[in-house]
Coordinates of all heavy atoms in Angstrom, one line a residue:
M11 N 70.5 78.2 91.5 CA 71.3 78.9 90.6 C 71.6 80.3 91.1 O 72.7 80.8 91.1 CB 70.6 79.0 89.2 CG 71.5 79.5 88.1 SD 72.9 78.4 87.8 CE 73.9 79.5 86.8
K12 N 70.6 80.9 91.7 CA 70.8 82.3 92.3 C 71.9 82.2 93.4 O 72.7 83.2 93.5 CB 69.5 82.7 92.9 CG 69.1 84.1 92.5 CD 67.8 84.5 93.0 CE 67.5 86.0 92.6 NZ 66.2 86.4 93.0
R13 N 71.9 81.1 94.1 CA 72.8 81.0 95.2 C 74.3 81.0 94.7 O 75.2 81.5 95.3 CB 72.5 79.7 96.0 CG 73.1 79.6 97.3 CD 72.7 78.3 98.0 NE 73.6 78.0 99.1 CZ 73.5 78.5 100.3 NH1 72.4 79.2 100.6 NH2 74.3 78.2 101.2
L14 N 74.5 80.3 93.6 CA 75.8 80.2 93.0 C 76.3 81.6 92.6 O 77.5 81.9 92.9 CB 75.7 79.3 91.8 CG 77.1 78.9 91.2 CD1 77.9 78.1 92.2 CD2 76.9 78.2 89.9
I15 N 75.4 82.4 92.0 CA 75.8 83.7 91.6 C 76.2 84.5 92.9 O 77.2 85.2 92.9 CB 74.7 84.4 90.9 CG1 74.5 83.7 89.5 CG2 75.0 85.9 90.7 CD1 73.3 84.1 88.8
L16 N 75.5 84.4 93.9 CA 75.8 85.1 95.2 C 77.1 84.7 95.7 O 77.9 85.5 96.1 CB 74.7 84.7 96.2 CG 74.8 85.5 97.5 CD1 74.5 87.0 97.2 CD2 73.8 85.0 98.6
I17 N 77.4 83.4 95.7 CA 78.7 82.9 96.2 C 79.9 83.5 95.4 O 80.8 84.0 95.9 CB 78.8 81.4 96.2 CG1 77.8 80.9 97.3 CG2 80.2 80.9 96.5 CD1 77.6 79.4 97.3
S18 N 79.7 83.4 94.1 CA 80.8 83.9 93.2 C 81.0 85.4 93.4 O 82.1 85.9 93.3 CB 80.6 83.5 91.8 OG 79.4 84.0 91.3
S19 N 80.0 86.2 93.6 CA 80.2 87.6 93.8 C 80.8 87.9 95.2 O 81.6 88.8 95.3 CB 78.9 88.4 93.7 OG 77.9 88.0 94.6
V20 N 80.5 87.0 96.1 CA 81.2 87.2 97.5 C 82.7 86.9 97.3 O 83.5 87.7 97.8 CB 80.6 86.2 98.5 CG1 81.5 86.2 99.7 CG2 79.2 86.7 98.9
V21 N 83.0 85.9 96.6 CA 84.4 85.6 96.3 C 85.1 86.7 95.6 O 86.2 87.1 95.9 CB 84.6 84.3 95.5 CG1 86.0 84.1 95.0 CG2 84.1 83.1 96.3
F22 N 84.4 87.3 94.6 CA 85.0 88.4 93.8 C 85.2 89.6 94.8 O 86.3 90.2 94.7 CB 84.0 88.8 92.7 CG 84.5 90.0 92.0 CD1 85.5 89.9 91.1 CD2 83.9 91.3 92.2 CE1 85.9 91.1 90.4 CE2 84.3 92.4 91.6 CZ 85.4 92.3 90.6
L23 N 84.3 89.9 95.6 CA 84.5 91.0 96.6 C 85.7 90.7 97.5 O 86.4 91.6 97.8 CB 83.2 91.1 97.4 CG 82.1 92.0 96.7 CD1 80.9 92.0 97.6 CD2 82.6 93.4 96.5
A24 N 85.8 89.5 98.0 CA 86.9 89.1 98.8 C 88.2 89.4 98.2 O 89.2 89.9 98.8 CB 86.8 87.7 99.3
I25 N 88.3 89.0 96.9 CA 89.6 89.2 96.1 C 89.8 90.7 96.0 O 91.0 91.2 96.2 CB 89.5 88.5 94.7 CG1 89.5 87.0 95.0 CG2 90.7 88.9 93.9 CD1 89.2 86.2 93.7
A26 N 88.8 91.5 95.6 CA 89.0 92.9 95.4 C 89.4 93.6 96.7 O 90.3 94.5 96.7 CB 87.6 93.5 94.9
C27 N 88.9 93.1 97.8 CA 89.2 93.6 99.1 C 90.7 93.4 99.4 O 91.4 94.3 99.9 CB 88.4 92.9 100.2 SG 87.4 94.1 101.2
E28 N 91.1 92.2 99.1 CA 92.5 91.8 99.4 C 93.4 92.7 98.6 O 94.5 93.1 99.1 CB 92.7 90.3 99.0 CG 93.8 89.6 99.7 CD 93.8 88.2 99.5 OE1 92.7 87.6 99.4 OE2 94.9 87.6 99.2
K29 N 93.1 92.9 97.3 CA 94.0 93.8 96.5 C 94.1 95.2 97.1 O 95.1 95.8 97.1 CB 93.4 93.8 95.1 CG 93.8 92.6 94.3 CD 93.6 92.8 92.8 CE 94.1 91.6 92.1 NZ 93.4 91.4 90.9
K30 N 93.0 95.7 97.6 CA 92.9 97.0 98.2 C 93.8 97.1 99.4 O 94.6 98.0 99.5 CB 91.5 97.4 98.5 CG 91.3 98.9 98.6 CD 89.9 99.3 98.8 CE 89.7 100.8 98.9 NZ 88.4 101.1 99.2
S31 N 93.7 96.1 100.3 CA 94.5 96.2 101.5 C 96.0 96.0 101.1 O 96.9 96.5 101.8 CB 94.1 95.1 102.5 OG 94.4 93.8 102.0
D32 N 96.3 95.3 100.0 CA 97.7 95.1 99.6 C 98.3 96.5 99.3 O 99.4 96.8 99.7 CB 97.8 94.3 98.3 CG 98.1 92.9 98.6 OD1 98.2 92.5 99.8 OD2 98.3 92.1 97.6
M33 N 97.5 97.3 98.6 CA 98.0 98.7 98.3 C 98.2 99.5 99.5 O 99.1 100.3 99.6 CB 97.0 99.4 97.3 CG 97.1 98.9 95.9 SD 95.7 99.4 94.9 CE 96.0 101.2 94.8
L34 N 97.3 99.4 100.5 CA 97.4 100.2 101.7 C 98.7 99.8 102.5 O 99.3 100.6 103.2 CB 96.2 100.0 102.6 CG 94.9 100.6 102.0 CD1 93.7 100.3 102.9 CD2 95.1 102.2 102.0
E35 N 99.0 98.5 102.4 CA 100.2 98.0 103.2 C 101.5 98.2 102.4 O 102.5 97.6 102.8 CB 99.9 96.6 103.6 CG 98.9 96.4 104.7 CD 98.5 95.0 104.9 OE1 99.2 94.1 104.4 OE2 97.5 94.7 105.5
N36 N 101.4 98.9 101.3 CA 102.6 99.0 100.4 C 103.8 99.5 101.2 O 105.0 99.1 100.9 CB 102.3 99.9 99.3 CG 102.8 99.3 98.0 OD1 103.4 98.2 98.0 ND2 102.7 100.0 96.9
A37 N 103.6 100.3 102.2 CA 104.7 100.9 102.9 C 105.6 99.8 103.6 O 106.8 99.9 103.7 CB 104.2 101.9 103.9
N38 N 104.9 98.8 104.0 CA 105.6 97.7 104.7 C 106.0 96.5 103.8 O 106.7 95.6 104.2 CB 104.8 97.2 105.8 CG 104.6 98.2 106.9 OD1 105.5 99.0 107.2 ND2 103.4 98.2 107.5
N39 N 105.5 96.6 102.5 CA 105.8 95.5 101.6 C 106.9 95.9 100.7 O 106.7 96.8 99.8 CB 104.5 95.2 100.8 CG 104.7 94.1 99.8 OD1 105.8 93.5 99.8 ND2 103.7 93.8 99.0
L40 N 108.1 95.3 100.8 CA 109.2 95.8 100.0 C 109.3 95.1 98.6 O 110.3 95.4 97.9 CB 110.5 95.5 100.8 CG 110.6 96.3 102.1 CD1 111.8 95.8 102.9 CD2 110.7 97.8 101.9
S41 N 108.4 94.3 98.3 CA 108.6 93.5 97.0 C 108.5 94.5 95.8 O 109.0 94.1 94.8 CB 107.6 92.4 96.9 OG 106.2 92.9 97.0
N42 N 107.8 95.6 95.9 CA 107.7 96.5 94.8 C 108.6 97.7 94.9 O 108.6 98.6 94.1 CB 106.3 97.0 94.6 CG 105.3 95.9 94.3 OD1 105.6 95.0 93.6 ND2 104.1 95.9 94.9
V43 N 109.5 97.7 95.9 CA 110.4 98.8 96.1 C 111.6 98.7 95.2 O 112.2 97.7 95.0 CB 110.8 98.9 97.6 CG1 111.9 99.9 97.8 CG2 109.6 99.1 98.5
K44 N 111.9 99.9 94.6 CA 113.1 99.9 93.7 C 114.2 100.5 94.5 O 114.1 101.6 95.0 CB 112.8 100.7 92.4 CG 112.0 99.9 91.4 CD 112.4 100.3 90.0 CE 112.1 99.3 89.0 NZ 110.7 99.1 88.8
V45 N 115.4 99.8 94.5 CA 116.5 100.4 95.3 C 117.7 100.6 94.3 O 117.7 100.1 93.2 CB 116.9 99.4 96.4 CG1 115.9 99.3 97.5 CG2 117.3 98.0 95.8
E46 N 118.6 101.4 94.8 CA 119.8 101.8 94.0 C 120.7 100.6 93.6 O 121.2 100.5 92.5 CB 120.6 102.8 94.8 CG 121.6 103.5 94.0 CD 121.0 104.8 93.4 OE1 120.0 105.3 93.9 OE2 121.6 105.2 92.4
N47 N 120.9 99.7 94.5 CA 121.8 98.6 94.3 C 121.1 97.3 93.9 O 120.1 96.9 94.5 CB 122.6 98.4 95.6 CG 121.6 98.2 96.8 OD1 120.6 98.8 96.9 ND2 122.0 97.2 97.7
Q48 N 121.7 96.6 92.9 CA 121.1 95.3 92.5 C 121.5 94.2 93.5 O 120.8 93.2 93.6 CB 121.6 95.0 91.1 CG 120.9 95.9 90.1 CD 121.2 95.4 88.7 OE1 122.1 94.7 88.4 NE2 120.3 95.7 87.8
L49 N 122.7 94.4 94.1 CA 123.2 93.4 95.1 C 123.3 94.0 96.4 O 123.7 95.1 96.6 CB 124.6 92.9 94.6 CG 124.6 92.1 93.3 CD1 126.1 91.7 93.0 CD2 123.7 90.9 93.3
D50 N 122.9 93.2 97.4 CA 123.2 93.6 98.8 C 124.7 93.8 99.0 O 125.5 92.9 98.7 CB 122.7 92.4 99.7 CG 122.8 92.7 101.2 OD1 123.8 93.3 101.6 OD2 121.9 92.2 101.9
P51 N 125.1 95.1 99.4 CA 126.5 95.3 99.4 C 127.3 94.5 100.5 O 128.5 94.3 100.4 CB 126.6 96.8 99.8 CG 125.3 97.2 100.3 CD 124.3 96.2 99.7
V52 N 126.6 93.9 101.4 CA 127.2 93.2 102.5 C 127.4 91.7 102.1 O 128.4 91.1 102.2 CB 126.4 93.3 103.8 CG1 127.0 92.5 104.9 CG2 126.2 94.8 104.2
C53 N 126.3 91.1 101.7 CA 126.3 89.6 101.4 C 126.2 89.3 100.0 O 126.3 88.2 99.6 CB 125.3 88.9 102.2 SG 123.6 89.3 101.6
E54 N 125.9 90.3 99.2 CA 125.9 90.2 97.7 C 124.7 89.3 97.2 O 124.8 88.7 96.1 CB 127.2 89.8 97.1 CG 128.3 90.8 97.4 CD 129.6 90.5 96.8 OE1 129.8 89.3 96.4 OE2 130.5 91.3 96.8
M55 N 123.7 89.3 97.9 CA 122.5 88.6 97.4 C 121.7 89.6 96.6 O 121.9 90.8 96.7 CB 121.5 88.2 98.6 CG 122.1 87.1 99.4 SD 120.9 85.9 100.0 CE 120.0 86.8 101.1
E56 N 120.9 89.1 95.6 CA 120.2 90.0 94.8 C 119.0 90.7 95.5 O 118.2 90.0 96.1 CB 119.6 89.3 93.6 CG 120.6 88.9 92.6 CD 120.0 88.1 91.4 OE1 119.1 88.6 90.8 OE2 120.4 86.9 91.2
T57 N 119.1 92.0 95.5 CA 118.0 92.8 96.3 C 116.6 92.6 95.7 O 115.6 92.8 96.4 CB 118.4 94.3 96.4 OG1 118.7 94.8 95.1 CG2 119.6 94.5 97.3
S58 N 116.6 92.4 94.4 CA 115.3 92.2 93.8 C 114.6 91.0 94.3 O 113.3 90.9 94.2 CB 115.4 92.2 92.2 OG 116.2 91.1 91.9
K59 N 115.3 90.0 94.7 CA 114.7 88.8 95.2 C 114.7 88.6 96.7 O 113.9 87.9 97.2 CB 115.5 87.6 94.6 CG 115.3 87.4 93.1 CD 116.2 86.2 92.6 CE 116.2 86.2 91.1 NZ 117.3 85.3 90.6
H60 N 115.6 89.3 97.4 CA 115.7 89.1 98.8 C 115.6 90.4 99.6 O 116.4 90.6 100.6 CB 117.1 88.4 99.1 CG 117.3 87.2 98.4 ND1 116.7 86.0 98.8 CD2 118.0 86.9 97.3 CE1 117.0 85.0 97.9 NE2 117.8 85.5 97.0
L61 N 114.8 91.3 99.2 CA 114.8 92.6 99.8 C 114.1 92.5 101.2 O 112.9 92.1 101.3 CB 114.1 93.7 98.9 CG 114.3 95.1 99.3 CD1 115.8 95.4 99.3 CD2 113.5 96.0 98.4
G62 N 114.9 92.8 102.3 CA 114.3 92.7 103.6 C 114.3 94.0 104.4 O 113.6 94.2 105.3
D63 N 115.2 94.9 103.9 CA 115.3 96.2 104.6 C 115.9 97.2 103.7 O 116.6 96.9 102.7 CB 116.1 96.1 105.9 CG 115.6 96.9 107.0 OD1 115.0 98.0 106.7 OD2 115.9 96.6 108.2
T64 N 115.7 98.5 104.0 CA 116.3 99.6 103.1 C 116.9 100.7 104.0 O 116.6 100.8 105.2 CB 115.2 100.2 102.2 OG1 114.1 100.7 103.0 CG2 114.6 99.2 101.3
L65 N 117.7 101.5 103.3 CA 118.4 102.5 104.0 C 118.7 103.6 103.0 O 119.1 103.3 101.9 CB 119.7 102.0 104.7 CG 120.7 102.9 105.2 CD1 120.3 103.4 106.6 CD2 122.1 102.2 105.3
T66 N 118.6 104.9 103.4 CA 119.0 106.0 102.6 C 120.4 106.4 103.1 O 120.5 106.8 104.2 CB 118.0 107.1 102.6 OG1 116.7 106.6 102.2 CG2 118.4 108.2 101.6
Y67 N 121.4 106.4 102.2 CA 122.7 106.8 102.5 C 123.3 107.7 101.4 O 123.2 107.3 100.3 CB 123.6 105.5 102.7 CG 125.1 105.9 103.0 CD1 125.4 106.4 104.3 CD2 126.0 105.8 102.0 CE1 126.7 106.7 104.5 CE2 127.4 106.1 102.3 CZ 127.7 106.6 103.5 OH 129.0 106.9 103.7
N68 N 123.8 108.9 101.8 CA 124.3 109.8 100.8 C 123.3 110.1 99.7 O 123.6 110.3 98.6 CB 125.6 109.3 100.2 CG 126.8 109.9 100.9 OD1 126.7 110.7 101.8 ND2 128.0 109.4 100.5
G69 N 122.0 110.2 100.1 CA 121.0 110.5 99.1 C 120.6 109.3 98.2 O 119.8 109.5 97.3
K70 N 121.2 108.2 98.4 CA 120.8 107.0 97.6 C 120.1 106.0 98.5 O 120.3 105.9 99.7 CB 122.1 106.4 97.1 CG 122.7 107.2 96.0 CD 123.9 106.5 95.3 CE 124.4 107.3 94.1 NZ 125.5 106.6 93.5
F71 N 119.2 105.3 97.8 CA 118.3 104.4 98.5 C 118.8 103.0 98.3 O 118.7 102.4 97.2 CB 116.9 104.6 97.8 CG 115.8 103.9 98.6 CD1 115.6 104.1 100.0 CD2 114.9 103.1 97.9 CE1 114.6 103.5 100.7 CE2 113.8 102.5 98.6 CZ 113.7 102.7 100.0
Y72 N 119.4 102.4 99.3 CA 119.9 101.0 99.2 C 119.0 100.0 99.8 O 118.3 100.3 100.8 CB 121.3 101.0 100.0 CG 122.4 101.9 99.3 CD1 122.6 103.1 99.8 CD2 123.1 101.4 98.3 CE1 123.6 103.9 99.2 CE2 124.1 102.1 97.6 CZ 124.3 103.4 98.1 OH 125.3 104.1 97.5
G73 N 119.1 98.8 99.3 CA 118.3 97.7 99.8 C 119.2 96.6 100.3 O 120.4 96.4 99.9
F74 N 118.7 95.9 101.3 CA 119.5 94.8 102.0 C 118.5 93.6 102.1 O 117.3 93.7 102.2 CB 120.0 95.3 103.3 CG 120.8 96.5 103.2 CD1 120.3 97.7 103.3 CD2 122.2 96.4 103.0 CE1 121.0 98.9 103.2 CE2 123.0 97.5 102.9 CZ 122.4 98.8 103.0
C75 N 119.2 92.4 102.2 CA 118.4 91.2 102.3 C 117.7 91.2 103.7 O 116.7 90.5 103.9 CB 119.3 90.0 102.1 SG 120.4 89.7 103.4
S76 N 118.3 91.8 104.7 CA 117.8 91.7 106.1 C 118.3 92.9 106.9 O 119.2 93.6 106.5 CB 118.3 90.4 106.7 OG 119.7 90.5 106.9
S77 N 117.7 93.1 108.0 CA 118.1 94.2 108.9 C 119.5 94.0 109.4 O 120.2 94.9 109.8 CB 117.1 94.4 110.0 OG 116.9 93.2 110.7
K78 N 119.9 92.7 109.5 CA 121.3 92.4 109.9 C 122.3 93.0 109.0 O 123.3 93.7 109.4 CB 121.5 90.9 110.0 CG 122.8 90.6 110.7 CD 123.2 89.1 110.5 CE 124.6 88.8 110.9 NZ 125.6 89.6 110.1
C79 N 122.1 92.8 107.7 CA 123.0 93.4 106.7 C 123.0 94.9 106.7 O 124.0 95.5 106.5 CB 122.7 92.8 105.3 SG 123.3 91.2 105.0
K80 N 121.8 95.4 106.9 CA 121.7 96.9 107.0 C 122.5 97.4 108.1 O 123.2 98.4 108.0 CB 120.2 97.3 107.2 CG 120.1 98.8 107.1 CD 118.6 99.2 107.3 CE 118.3 99.5 108.7 NZ 117.0 100.2 108.9
T81 N 122.4 96.7 109.3 CA 123.2 97.2 110.5 C 124.7 97.1 110.2 O 125.4 98.0 110.6 CB 122.8 96.3 111.7 OG1 121.4 96.2 111.8 CG2 123.4 96.8 113.0
D82 N 125.1 96.0 109.6 CA 126.6 95.9 109.2 C 127.0 97.0 108.3 O 128.1 97.6 108.5 CB 126.8 94.5 108.5 CG 126.8 93.4 109.5 OD1 126.8 93.7 110.7 OD2 126.9 92.2 109.1
F83 N 126.1 97.3 107.3 CA 126.5 98.4 106.4 C 126.6 99.7 107.1 O 127.5 100.5 106.8 CB 125.4 98.4 105.3 CG 125.6 99.5 104.3 CD1 126.4 99.3 103.2 CD2 124.9 100.7 104.4 CE1 126.6 100.3 102.2 CE2 125.1 101.7 103.5 CZ 125.9 101.5 102.4
E84 N 125.6 100.0 108.0 CA 125.6 101.3 108.7 C 126.9 101.5 109.5 O 127.3 102.6 109.8 CB 124.4 101.3 109.7 CG 123.1 101.7 109.0 CD 121.9 101.7 109.9 OE1 121.8 100.7 110.6 OE2 121.2 102.7 110.0
K85 N 127.5 100.4 110.0 CA 128.7 100.5 110.8 C 129.8 101.0 110.0 O 130.7 101.8 110.5 CB 129.0 99.1 111.4 CG 128.2 98.7 112.6 CD 128.6 97.3 113.1 CE 127.5 96.6 113.9 NZ 127.8 95.2 114.0
N86 N 129.9 100.6 108.8 CA 131.0 101.1 107.9 C 130.6 101.1 106.4 O 131.1 100.2 105.7 CB 132.2 100.1 108.2 CG 133.5 100.8 107.7 OD1 133.5 101.8 107.0 ND2 134.6 100.1 108.0
P87 N 129.8 102.0 106.1 CA 129.3 102.1 104.7 C 130.4 102.1 103.6 O 130.3 101.4 102.6 CB 128.4 103.3 104.6 CG 128.2 103.7 106.0 CD 129.3 103.2 106.8
Q88 N 131.4 102.9 103.8 CA 132.4 103.1 102.8 C 133.1 101.8 102.5 O 133.5 101.5 101.4 CB 133.4 104.1 103.2 CG 132.9 105.6 103.2 CD 132.2 105.9 101.8 OE1 132.7 105.5 100.8 NE2 131.1 106.6 101.9
Q89 N 133.3 101.0 103.5 CA 134.0 99.7 103.3 C 133.2 98.8 102.3 O 133.8 98.2 101.4 CB 134.1 98.9 104.6 CG 134.8 97.6 104.5 CD 134.4 96.7 105.7 OE1 134.4 97.2 106.9 NE2 134.2 95.4 105.5
Y90 N 131.9 98.9 102.4 CA 131.1 98.0 101.5 C 130.9 98.7 100.1 O 130.9 98.0 99.1 CB 129.8 97.8 102.1 CG 129.9 96.9 103.3 CD1 129.6 97.4 104.6 CD2 130.2 95.6 103.2 CE1 129.7 96.6 105.7 CE2 130.3 94.8 104.4 CZ 130.1 95.3 105.6 OH 130.2 94.5 106.7
L91 N 130.9 100.0 100.1 CA 130.7 100.7 98.8 C 131.9 100.7 97.9 O 131.8 100.8 96.7 CB 130.2 102.2 99.1 CG 128.8 102.2 99.7 CD1 128.4 103.7 99.9 CD2 127.8 101.6 98.7
N92 N 133.1 100.7 98.5 CA 134.3 100.7 97.8 C 134.8 99.4 97.3 O 135.9 99.2 96.8 CB 135.4 101.4 98.6 CG 135.1 102.9 98.8 OD1 134.4 103.5 98.0 ND2 135.5 103.5 99.9
K93 N 134.1 98.3 97.6 CA 134.5 97.0 97.3 C 134.7 96.8 95.8 O 133.9 97.3 95.0 CB 133.5 96.0 97.7 CG 133.9 95.3 99.0 CD 133.3 93.9 99.1 CE 131.9 93.9 99.5 NZ 131.4 92.7 100.2
Ligands
ZN5 ZN1 122.5 90.5 103.0

């Protein structure tokens, strides 16, 4: 019985540890990042579901599904923003 308690506290510690490292890695985890645009301006995917990269342009924080869309946007931002 004692052994069972020990195991469950180890599991609990492992979960707590994982949560802590999640917070530390927040800078690289875009799932909680709020961006200005609801849709990727390039491919029009929902940024809340497919956020892969971000960019600050004209003081606004834009999200993109991938670094490829970000690169396309950077080449000609106005073309995408005036759509
Ligand atoms: Zn995209």
Side-chain angles (χ1 to χ4, degrees):
M11 193 59 193
K12 227 176 181 178
R13 195 181 164 84
L14 187 66
I15 292 170
L16 186 68
I17 290 171
S18 54
S19 60
V20 167
V21 169
F22 175 76
L23 277 176
I25 292 168
C27 235
E28 204 172 319
K29 282 198 174 147
K30 200 172 180 187
S31 68
D32 262 6
M33 280 169 69
L34 288 174
E35 284 168 19
N36 225 2
N38 294 322
N39 179 6
L40 294 174
S41 59
N42 295 322
V43 174
K44 281 216 159 67
V45 294
E46 194 85 26
N47 54 320
Q48 288 192 335
L49 297 178
D50 183 322
V52 181
C53 69
E54 298 184 346
M55 293 217 291
E56 286 179 58
T57 52
S58 58
K59 291 177 188 164
H60 305 280
L61 196 59
D63 215 334
T64 58
L65 167 79
T66 304
Y67 176 75
N68 264 354
K70 288 185 174 180
F71 192 51
Y72 293 99
F74 303 89
C75 71
S76 66
S77 53
K78 188 196 168 295
C79 281
K80 185 179 93 166
T81 309
D82 284 353
F83 179 82
E84 278 177 310
K85 284 180 197 162
N86 198 350
Q88 289 307 324
Q89 179 198 321
Y90 293 110
L91 291 177
N92 291 332
K93 256 207 286 205

